[in-house]
Amino acid sequence: MQQEQDLIARARTWLAEDPDPETRDELAKLIDSEDLDELGARFAGTLQFGTAGLRGEIGAGPMRMNRAVVIRAAAGLAAYLKDQGQDGGLVVIGYDARYKSTDFARDTAAVMTGAGLRAAVLPRPLPTPVLAYAIRHLGAVAGVEVTASHNPPRDNGYKVYLGDGSQIVPPADGEIAAAIAAVGPLGTVPRPDSGWETLGDEVLDAYLARTDAVMADGSPRTARVVYTAMHGVGTSVLTAAFDRAGFPAPVLVAEQAEPDPAFPTVAFPNPEEPGAMDLAFATARRSDPDIIIANDPDADRCAVAVPDPAADAGWRMLRGDEVGALLAAHLVGRGVTGVFAESIVSSSLLGRIAEKAGLGYEETLTGFKWIARVEGLRYGYEEALGYCVDPDGVRDKDGITAALVVAELASVLKEQGRTLLDLLDDLAVEHGLHATDQLSVRVGDLSVIADAMRRLREQPPTALAGLAVTSAEDLSHGTELLPPTDGLRYHLEGARVIVRPSGTEPKLKCYLEVVVPVASADELPAARAKGTELLSGIKRDLAAAAGI
């Protein structure tokens, strides 16, 4: 009984501070109805600020994304920046078109202004890479992007960058989290009604001008593209970039071209999710393009599909690792220099391409917050559709510039009477067939993930799909080259497996790769069949070992 009274009391205290009429009304109804289960979930703790910032479902209470949570996050970030000697520095703020994004951006600007920092807000919902670019372009000490990327419609998030234009990494995330925890009552956080700058289109224009440089001078620009923004903010920026570059105007997937926070045509607004690309495939069947390009809702990811008569829809989505290898091969063909980098969960093919070209190569932990920090970086990618082709401009994944380089590559191959699939075949013959897949389990109870990780640590598999496990690493201890992270890595005879909890979604993710030697193009069908069989067996055996 006392616990129930304490819960109601905490909810009433929160209610008294909540500045948002919508979430106040929502919480008042939960209190009035004494919905203790829902209140218990809302007040079970606080959303944890980590290297992905904040992300969660919109709603009232400290375990949801709302204006009260965002104001506290902004106040903590401001305190951290001032403690770092950045008092008076500029914080630039971007936002997408999700529910509450505009409110969260405005609240952040108000808090920064009230704390004695300068704040500048992008003029409207724009792609995340525009914000990442703006930080360095404007000489800001930090940046905030309000977005939940490709999460479900009810989610929103809060991503923090520091002045180098990269997302935060330890120890900054922990120090910001501590500063957030130290914020007092919301009434003590100054939030003036004005005093910040709303930027015009100058920053966007500068970003678009820079996109010209990601392509080679005089390269062909003939590829015809069907494009979907997945109900996000990419359409206007991508079409402007394609127009500047001289490509044919992309054919838009009309139903998904305009921002819509409800994401009405997809179950999840992620090009990787089943069914998300169905409208794009239908549009392509009517317009017969060379390739399909899709961005996720905040346009930092880029997905590619190619014609494939063997596929049910007549089109096949390329895996992120396939696009990553294609872009690497294209950049090598253009004679670029510098370091190629990827996260440990991405295909080892990139390392082989870099080695053959005499280029530097590095592996990092998962996330562009790590990839972007590689010294001398020229190109970085991650299997989850993230590509950085202009690290001097955007130190993060960028779905707009990646789309331009993909379209350039498709144009070069088109002039040769070839396709992206032909180049993938070439790479398989040259370096071996690198087949990748993922076992991803979405859970309603996070303890399922913890139980699976514990089970694998206590009883690591000795073989998967008949392939002996030659070494097993618990990445939580760190390695010679990698800081500690919650993950497991298994090396097998001709294969590799990494298991880790997702940092942004309630998912356990298992990344699988098998490498099948290929002597000639004639062997490719058999190699692909063997790769598919091995991946299927690894999935089956790994799921059993993890108890999922």
Coordinates of all heavy atoms in Angstrom, one line a residue, residues 403-445:
A403 N 24.0 8.2 -51.5 CA 23.1 7.9 -52.6 C 23.8 8.5 -53.9 O 23.7 7.9 -55.0 CB 21.8 8.6 -52.4
L404 N 24.4 9.6 -53.8 CA 25.0 10.2 -55.0 C 26.2 9.3 -55.5 O 26.3 9.1 -56.7 CB 25.6 11.6 -54.6 CG 24.6 12.7 -54.5 CD1 25.3 14.0 -53.8 CD2 24.0 13.1 -55.8
V405 N 27.0 8.8 -54.6 CA 28.1 7.9 -55.0 C 27.6 6.6 -55.6 O 28.1 6.1 -56.6 CB 29.1 7.7 -53.9 CG1 30.3 6.9 -54.4 CG2 29.6 9.1 -53.4
V406 N 26.5 6.1 -55.0 CA 25.9 4.9 -55.5 C 25.4 5.1 -57.0 O 25.6 4.3 -57.9 CB 24.7 4.4 -54.7 CG1 23.9 3.3 -55.4 CG2 25.3 3.8 -53.3
A407 N 24.7 6.3 -57.2 CA 24.2 6.6 -58.5 C 25.3 6.8 -59.5 O 25.2 6.5 -60.7 CB 23.3 7.8 -58.4
E408 N 26.4 7.4 -59.0 CA 27.6 7.6 -59.9 C 28.2 6.2 -60.3 O 28.4 6.0 -61.5 CB 28.7 8.4 -59.2 CG 29.9 8.6 -60.0 CD 31.1 9.2 -59.2 OE1 31.4 8.8 -58.1 OE2 31.7 10.2 -59.8
L409 N 28.3 5.3 -59.3 CA 28.8 4.0 -59.7 C 27.9 3.3 -60.7 O 28.3 2.7 -61.6 CB 28.9 3.1 -58.4 CG 29.3 1.7 -58.6 CD1 30.5 1.5 -59.4 CD2 29.4 1.0 -57.2
A410 N 26.6 3.3 -60.4 CA 25.6 2.7 -61.3 C 25.7 3.3 -62.7 O 25.6 2.6 -63.7 CB 24.2 2.9 -60.8
S411 N 26.0 4.6 -62.8 CA 26.2 5.3 -64.1 C 27.4 4.8 -64.8 O 27.4 4.5 -66.0 CB 26.2 6.8 -63.9 OG 25.0 7.3 -63.3
V412 N 28.5 4.7 -64.1 CA 29.8 4.2 -64.7 C 29.6 2.8 -65.2 O 30.0 2.5 -66.4 CB 30.9 4.2 -63.6 CG1 32.2 3.5 -64.1 CG2 31.3 5.7 -63.2
L413 N 29.0 1.9 -64.4 CA 28.7 0.6 -64.9 C 27.8 0.5 -66.1 O 28.0 -0.3 -67.0 CB 28.2 -0.3 -63.7 CG 29.2 -0.5 -62.6 CD1 28.5 -1.1 -61.4 CD2 30.3 -1.4 -63.0
K414 N 26.8 1.4 -66.0 CA 25.8 1.4 -67.1 C 26.5 1.8 -68.5 O 26.2 1.2 -69.5 CB 24.7 2.5 -66.8 CG 23.6 2.6 -67.8 CD 22.6 3.6 -67.3 CE 21.4 3.7 -68.3 NZ 20.4 4.7 -67.9
E415 N 27.4 2.7 -68.4 CA 28.2 3.1 -69.6 C 29.0 1.9 -70.2 O 29.3 1.8 -71.3 CB 29.1 4.2 -69.3 CG 28.5 5.5 -68.8 CD 27.9 6.3 -69.9 OE1 28.6 6.7 -70.8 OE2 26.6 6.6 -69.8
Q416 N 29.3 0.9 -69.2 CA 30.1 -0.2 -69.6 C 29.2 -1.4 -70.0 O 29.7 -2.5 -70.3 CB 31.0 -0.6 -68.5 CG 32.0 0.4 -68.1 CD 32.7 0.1 -66.8 OE1 32.4 -0.9 -66.1 NE2 33.7 0.9 -66.4
G417 N 27.9 -1.2 -69.9 CA 26.9 -2.3 -70.2 C 26.9 -3.3 -69.0 O 26.6 -4.5 -69.2
R418 N 27.2 -2.8 -67.8 CA 27.3 -3.7 -66.6 C 26.4 -3.1 -65.5 O 25.8 -2.1 -65.6 CB 28.7 -3.8 -66.1 CG 29.6 -4.7 -67.0 CD 31.1 -4.4 -66.9 NE 31.6 -4.2 -65.5 CZ 31.9 -5.2 -64.7 NH1 31.7 -6.5 -65.1 NH2 32.3 -5.0 -63.5
T419 N 26.3 -3.9 -64.4 CA 25.4 -3.6 -63.3 C 26.1 -3.7 -62.0 O 27.2 -4.2 -62.0 CB 24.1 -4.5 -63.3 OG1 24.5 -5.8 -62.9 CG2 23.4 -4.5 -64.6
L420 N 25.5 -3.3 -60.9 CA 26.0 -3.5 -59.6 C 26.2 -4.9 -59.3 O 27.2 -5.3 -58.6 CB 25.1 -2.8 -58.6 CG 24.9 -1.3 -58.6 CD1 24.0 -0.9 -57.5 CD2 26.2 -0.6 -58.5
L421 N 25.3 -5.8 -59.8 CA 25.5 -7.2 -59.5 C 26.7 -7.8 -60.2 O 27.4 -8.7 -59.7 CB 24.2 -8.0 -59.9 CG 22.9 -7.7 -59.1 CD1 21.8 -8.5 -59.7 CD2 23.1 -8.0 -57.7
D422 N 27.0 -7.3 -61.4 CA 28.2 -7.7 -62.1 C 29.5 -7.4 -61.3 O 30.4 -8.2 -61.2 CB 28.3 -7.1 -63.5 CG 27.2 -7.5 -64.4 OD1 26.8 -8.7 -64.3 OD2 26.8 -6.7 -65.3
L423 N 29.5 -6.2 -60.7 CA 30.7 -5.8 -59.9 C 30.8 -6.7 -58.7 O 31.9 -7.0 -58.2 CB 30.6 -4.3 -59.6 CG 31.7 -3.8 -58.7 CD1 33.1 -4.1 -59.4 CD2 31.6 -2.3 -58.5
L424 N 29.6 -7.0 -58.1 CA 29.6 -7.9 -56.9 C 30.2 -9.3 -57.3 O 31.0 -9.9 -56.5 CB 28.2 -8.1 -56.3 CG 27.7 -6.9 -55.5 CD1 26.2 -7.1 -55.1 CD2 28.5 -6.7 -54.2
D425 N 29.9 -9.7 -58.5 CA 30.5 -11.0 -58.9 C 32.0 -10.9 -59.1 O 32.7 -11.8 -58.7 CB 29.9 -11.4 -60.3 CG 28.4 -11.9 -60.2 OD1 27.9 -12.1 -59.0 OD2 27.8 -12.1 -61.2
D426 N 32.4 -9.8 -59.6 CA 33.9 -9.6 -59.8 C 34.6 -9.6 -58.4 O 35.6 -10.2 -58.2 CB 34.2 -8.2 -60.4 CG 33.7 -8.1 -61.9 OD1 33.4 -9.2 -62.4 OD2 33.7 -7.0 -62.4
L427 N 34.0 -9.0 -57.4 CA 34.6 -8.9 -56.1 C 34.6 -10.3 -55.5 O 35.6 -10.7 -54.7 CB 33.8 -7.9 -55.2 CG 33.9 -6.5 -55.6 CD1 33.0 -5.6 -54.7 CD2 35.3 -6.0 -55.4
A428 N 33.6 -11.1 -55.7 CA 33.5 -12.5 -55.1 C 34.6 -13.3 -55.8 O 35.3 -14.1 -55.0 CB 32.2 -13.1 -55.4
V429 N 34.8 -13.2 -57.0 CA 35.9 -14.0 -57.7 C 37.3 -13.5 -57.2 O 38.2 -14.3 -57.0 CB 35.8 -13.9 -59.2 CG1 37.0 -14.5 -59.9 CG2 34.5 -14.5 -59.7
E430 N 37.4 -12.2 -57.0 CA 38.7 -11.7 -56.6 C 39.1 -12.0 -55.2 O 40.2 -12.3 -54.9 CB 38.7 -10.2 -56.9 CG 40.1 -9.5 -56.7 CD 40.1 -8.0 -57.1 OE1 39.0 -7.5 -57.5 OE2 41.2 -7.4 -57.0
H431 N 38.1 -11.9 -54.3 CA 38.4 -11.9 -52.9 C 37.7 -13.1 -52.1 O 37.8 -13.2 -50.9 CB 37.9 -10.6 -52.2 CG 38.6 -9.4 -52.7 ND1 39.9 -9.1 -52.5 CD2 38.1 -8.4 -53.5 CE1 40.2 -8.0 -53.1 NE2 39.1 -7.5 -53.7
G432 N 36.9 -13.9 -52.8 CA 36.1 -14.9 -52.2 C 34.7 -14.4 -52.0 O 34.5 -13.2 -51.8
L433 N 33.7 -15.3 -52.0 CA 32.3 -14.9 -51.7 C 32.1 -14.6 -50.2 O 32.3 -15.6 -49.4 CB 31.3 -16.0 -52.2 CG 29.9 -15.7 -51.9 CD1 29.3 -14.6 -52.9 CD2 29.0 -16.9 -52.0
H434 N 31.8 -13.4 -49.9 CA 31.6 -13.0 -48.5 C 30.1 -12.9 -48.3 O 29.4 -11.9 -48.7 CB 32.2 -11.7 -48.1 CG 33.7 -11.8 -48.1 ND1 34.5 -12.1 -49.1 CD2 34.6 -11.6 -47.0 CE1 35.8 -12.1 -48.8 NE2 35.9 -11.8 -47.5
A435 N 29.5 -14.0 -47.7 CA 28.0 -14.0 -47.5 C 27.7 -13.6 -46.1 O 28.3 -14.2 -45.2 CB 27.4 -15.4 -47.9
T436 N 26.8 -12.6 -45.9 CA 26.5 -12.2 -44.6 C 25.0 -12.3 -44.3 O 24.2 -12.3 -45.3 CB 26.9 -10.7 -44.3 OG1 26.3 -9.9 -45.3 CG2 28.4 -10.6 -44.5
D437 N 24.6 -12.4 -43.1 CA 23.2 -12.4 -42.7 C 23.1 -12.0 -41.2 O 24.2 -11.8 -40.6 CB 22.6 -13.8 -42.9 CG 21.1 -13.8 -43.0 OD1 20.5 -12.7 -42.8 OD2 20.5 -14.9 -43.3
Q438 N 21.9 -11.9 -40.8 CA 21.7 -11.4 -39.4 C 20.6 -12.2 -38.7 O 19.6 -12.4 -39.4 CB 21.4 -9.9 -39.3 CG 21.4 -9.3 -37.9 CD 21.2 -7.8 -37.9 OE1 20.3 -7.3 -37.2 NE2 21.9 -7.1 -38.7
L439 N 20.8 -12.6 -37.5 CA 19.8 -13.2 -36.7 C 19.4 -12.1 -35.7 O 20.2 -11.8 -34.8 CB 20.2 -14.5 -36.0 CG 19.3 -15.1 -34.9 CD1 18.0 -15.5 -35.5 CD2 20.0 -16.2 -34.2
S440 N 18.2 -11.5 -35.8 CA 17.8 -10.4 -35.0 C 16.5 -10.8 -34.3 O 15.5 -11.1 -35.0 CB 17.6 -9.2 -35.9 OG 17.2 -8.0 -35.1
V441 N 16.5 -10.6 -33.0 CA 15.3 -11.0 -32.2 C 14.8 -9.8 -31.4 O 15.5 -9.3 -30.6 CB 15.6 -12.2 -31.2 CG1 14.4 -12.6 -30.5 CG2 16.2 -13.4 -32.0
R442 N 13.6 -9.3 -31.8 CA 13.0 -8.2 -31.0 C 12.3 -8.8 -29.8 O 11.5 -9.8 -30.0 CB 12.0 -7.5 -32.0 CG 11.4 -6.2 -31.3 CD 10.5 -5.5 -32.3 NE 11.2 -5.0 -33.4 CZ 11.6 -3.7 -33.5 NH1 11.5 -2.9 -32.4 NH2 12.3 -3.3 -34.5
V443 N 12.4 -8.2 -28.7 CA 11.9 -8.7 -27.4 C 11.0 -7.7 -26.8 O 11.2 -6.5 -26.9 CB 13.0 -9.2 -26.4 CG1 13.8 -10.3 -27.1 CG2 13.8 -8.0 -26.0
G444 N 10.0 -8.2 -26.0 CA 9.2 -7.3 -25.2 C 9.8 -7.2 -23.8 O 9.5 -6.3 -23.0
D445 N 10.6 -8.2 -23.4 CA 11.2 -8.2 -22.1 C 12.7 -8.3 -22.2 O 13.3 -9.2 -22.8 CB 10.7 -9.5 -21.3 CG 11.3 -9.6 -19.9 OD1 12.1 -8.8 -19.6 OD2 10.9 -10.6 -19.3

